[in-house]
Amino acid sequence: MADEPLVLGIETSCDETGVGIVHGHTLLADAVASSVEEHARFGGVVPEVASRAHLEAMVPTIRRALKDAGVAASDLDGIAVTAGPGLAGALLVGVSAAKAYAYALGKPLYGVNHLASHICVDQLEHGALPEPTMALLVSGGHSSLLLTTDITSDVRPLGSTIDDAAGEAFDKVARVLGLGFPGGPAVDRYARDGDPKAIRFPRGLTGPRDPVYDFSFSGLKTAVARWVEERRREGADVPIADVAASFQEAVTDVLTRKAIRACKDHGVEHLMIGGGVAANSRLRAMAQRRCADAGIELRVPRPKLCTDNGAMVAALGAEMVARGRSASDWDLPADSSLPVTEPHVPGRTPATAPGHHH
Ligand code: KG4
Ligand code: ZN
């Protein structure tokens, strides 16, 4: 234990300024400053507002994390930072701060992938990730099934959403129901008092000819909006709890069905669910039951580690150190469209030079 890496991680890909500190698989600090309130009246994250909020929150959040962990910055073995994907300006604040701290302290810098971090964070909850692990990654920007045998170097996408991400669908349905932003937690709350069988909403891409591991939530979102509009046009009350519960049931049914199918098809016995939507209470309960029935071991971190945070970045950074991955160069770029297949970002090497992708 004594020689496990002590790593500080910085996350600024969206609206949370997260700074976490881990010692190997042990969580020492998880400081998060959110600008979500500042975006609420716009109904979505405003990039410029997020960047400025990160700038203001960065140094105080780093100080708070160090104080919570009871460690001195000089004791750190490395500084990890989200290099992408995410909002370009927001990422840049984190990457710049990480470079400044790493350079000033004489510590190695590790640029890591936000999506791989959402998976790796589970090591803080349940210990070393089994190899292989199937990961269902469901957040505001992504919904994918990923097969990983080494979270620092091998993340293979099996399928992903062809339109909206799962979290995006939650946010849009919440808006239709007038539940505010962000919508996921509100839909989750209202759904507790609703009947999940009240309305049968469509399960996207579950037909016999549909791609097995891809998702689609745009049709579901539209179906919910139409159903609600229809009621309003008739002058009837909208049963918010029933709509929330029925929508949530459709999302979680498809997510868990496809995740378990992927595990079975690939002979994988461990399913990990990560990303903000993994905080959803119904998804957690349904996955628990269906995995138990299928003989699959389920790993889902506590809700606070599912939504964006710095501890997940520190967890992946610590894994990079433990596995002897090279530190990133000082020219490490913030890459808003970093592919999930690149968990580790070494620097502005040819592979990540501008112009190569998308
Ligand atoms: O991972 P995350 O914090 O940020 C991204 O990387 O996107 O995910 C944010 C998303 C939002 O769409 C939010 O509505 C959703 O996660 N979310 C939830 C819950 N908590 C957060 N969705 C459903 N149920 C929840 N309890
Ligand atoms: Zn995220």
Side-chain angles (χ1 to χ4, degrees):
M1 283 304 265
D3 48 10
E4 296 219 309
L6 182 67
V7 173
L8 180 143
I10 298 176
E11 153 62 33
T12 63
S13 69
C14 193
D15 60 342
E16 328 280 355
T17 311
V19 181
I21 299 176
V22 306
H23 186 207
H25 295 167
T26 308
L27 176 63
L28 300 183
D30 179 16
V32 177
S34 177
S35 61
V36 68
E37 314 264 279
E38 294 175 56
H39 307 289
R41 68 195 168 101
F42 301 106
V45 176
V46 183
E48 292 79 4
V49 173
S51 303
R52 172 159 289 267
H54 286 309
L55 207 51
E56 286 167 358
M58 185 55 66
V59 174
T61 310
I62 288 177
R63 291 205 176 124
R64 183 150 59 90
L66 287 166
K67 187 160 171 283
D68 290 352
V71 304
S74 56
D75 295 335
L76 295 169
D77 294 310
I79 309 261
V81 64
T82 302
L87 302 170
L91 288 167
L92 198 55
V93 177
V95 168
S96 306
K99 285 179 185 175
Y101 273 85
Y103 191 79
L105 293 164
K107 307 292 183 188
L109 172 74
Y110 293 88
V112 305
N113 189 307
H114 180 82
L115 307 173
S117 300
H118 268 305
I119 300 172
C120 196
V121 71
D122 193 54
Q123 298 202 134
L124 305 177
E125 194 81 280
H126 299 110
L129 276 175
E131 294 169 354
T133 287
M134 187 68 67
L136 170 65
L137 178 74
V138 274
S139 70
H142 299 265
S143 299
S144 316
L145 276 166
L146 306 164
L147 180 56
T148 177
T149 57
D150 173 346
I151 194 59
T152 66
S153 68
D154 178 32
V155 180
R156 185 148 61 94
L158 299 182
S160 62
T161 181
I162 60 166
D163 41 55
D164 294 351
E168 216 177 330
F170 270 94
D171 294 336
K172 287 176 179 169
V173 163
R175 193 185 310 187
V176 166
L177 295 174
L179 304 182
F181 173 84
V187 170
D188 194 343
R189 226 166 25 244
Y190 274 89
R192 277 169 208 189
D193 302 318
D195 175 6
K197 294 203 178 82
I199 311 146
R200 175 77 193 180
F201 286 127
R203 269 66 169 161
L205 295 188
T206 52
R209 286 168 199 284
D210 289 331
V212 186
Y213 308 129
D214 285 337
F215 301 103
S216 166
F217 297 109
S218 161
L220 169 60
K221 169 196 71 188
T222 308
V224 173
R226 282 225 192 90
W227 194 92
V228 170
E229 269 165 33
E230 190 78 7
R231 294 283 297 215
R232 286 189 180 137
R233 198 161 39 233
E234 291 164 358
D237 278 345
V238 175
I240 292 179
D242 283 348
V243 174
S246 300
F247 157 75
Q248 184 173 271
E249 196 70 5
V251 175
T252 52
D253 179 25
V254 176
L255 290 176
T256 53
R257 227 195 286 178
K258 294 200 173 210
I260 287 170
R261 169 81 191 269
C263 288
K264 286 185 172 166
D265 289 354
H266 291 81
V268 174
E269 291 167 359
H270 303 271
L271 172 66
M272 184 276 158
I273 310 185
V277 179
N280 184 265
S281 61
R282 181 62 184 139
L283 176 59
R284 299 170 78 94
M286 192 188 282
Q288 199 72 55
R289 210 199 58 233
R290 290 186 174 178
C291 282
D293 289 350
I296 292 165
E297 195 224 318
L298 177 67
R299 298 163 61 111
V300 197
R302 75 196 81 153
K304 190 168 183 250
L305 292 179
C306 291
T307 49
D308 288 350
N309 63 82
M312 67 191 213
V313 179
L316 184 50
E319 195 61 31
M320 297 289 173
V321 177
R323 296 204 185 228
R325 302 273 171 252
S326 58
S328 302
D329 295 332
W330 296 114
D331 64 2
L332 171 73
D335 183 347
S336 60
S337 54
L338 183 68
V340 69
T341 47
E342 293 175 28
H344 173 231
V345 188
R348 204 176 284 280
T349 53
T352 54
H356 94 102
H357 53 230
H358 337 294

